[in-house]
Amino acid sequence: MNSNQIWKFHNDVDTDQIIASQYLLLPDIEAMKQYTFESLDPSFAGKVHPGDIVVAGENFGCGSSREQAPSVLKALGIQAVIAKSFARIFYRNSINIGLPVIVCKELYDAVSDGDTANLDLSAGTVSANGQEFTCTKLPEYMQKILSEGGLIASLNKEDE
């Protein structure tokens, strides 16, 4: 298991803070991803590495239903978003595009920005700072959707 850097954000991070509306006019997610979290950390997209983890407080992804919000996170290589709670539409959009979203109420207060963590999706655990936290374990069918790259990819595989 590799350790992955934690990027910690506050409560009520809305979709406009994840990707501001003016960037939705860009041609695709690849062009948009460089502006991820621009209002919170303008250099975020240049510092994040594939496999890193976003940790947040309550109600992550609130606001609009834009699917581009989880999409830019996935495009940057974010392994998962682990939060105390999620806005329902963001949660659903994330699963649909293949971005793991994990509820773990205790992790937020036990870690700081820049710490490292190891996520075990199949076990429903995350370890950081010498502690192991039990998270909401995704049902097997959701894990299958994620492992196949999202809902559409999963449905397409069923048709093969």
Side-chain angles (χ1 to χ4, degrees), residues 10-24 32 35-40 58-73 86-94 99 101:
H10 51 76
N11 292 335
D12 302 311
V13 171
D14 66 43
T15 52
D16 205 47
Q17 291 171 311
I18 299 169
I19 184 69
S21 59
Q22 69 259 31
Y23 300 121
L24 302 180
M32 289 178 213
Y35 301 105
T36 304
F37 290 126
E38 184 181 59
S39 66
L40 301 176
E58 301 280 352
N59 202 26
F60 187 86
C62 58
S64 80
S65 61
R66 67 180 64 138
E67 196 173 276
Q68 294 91 338
S71 296
V72 293
L73 294 172
F86 291 90
R88 180 183 285 157
I89 191 73
F90 180 88
Y91 186 90
R92 194 61 186 253
N93 282 340
S94 296
L99 175 69
V101 279

Side-chain angles (χ1 to χ4, degrees), residues 77-146:
I78 294 296
Q79 177 186 10
V81 179
I82 304 171
K84 287 185 175 186
S85 67
F86 291 90
R88 180 183 285 157
I89 191 73
F90 180 88
Y91 186 90
R92 194 61 186 253
N93 282 340
S94 296
I95 298 297
N96 285 348
I97 64 141
L99 175 69
V101 279
I102 311 297
V103 174
C104 188
K105 297 198 179 289
E106 293 78 32
L107 181 68
Y108 184 82
D109 295 322
V111 298
S112 299
D113 199 45
D115 287 351
T116 58
N118 294 311
L119 173 64
D120 186 336
L121 260 183
S122 57
T125 61
V126 63
S127 23
N129 298 328
Q131 294 179 276
E132 185 170 271
F133 302 89
T134 301
C135 306
T136 301
K137 187 175 175 186
L138 296 175
E140 201 168 300
Y141 75 92
M142 283 179 127
Q143 289 185 42
K144 180 178 183 276
I145 289 170
L146 290 170

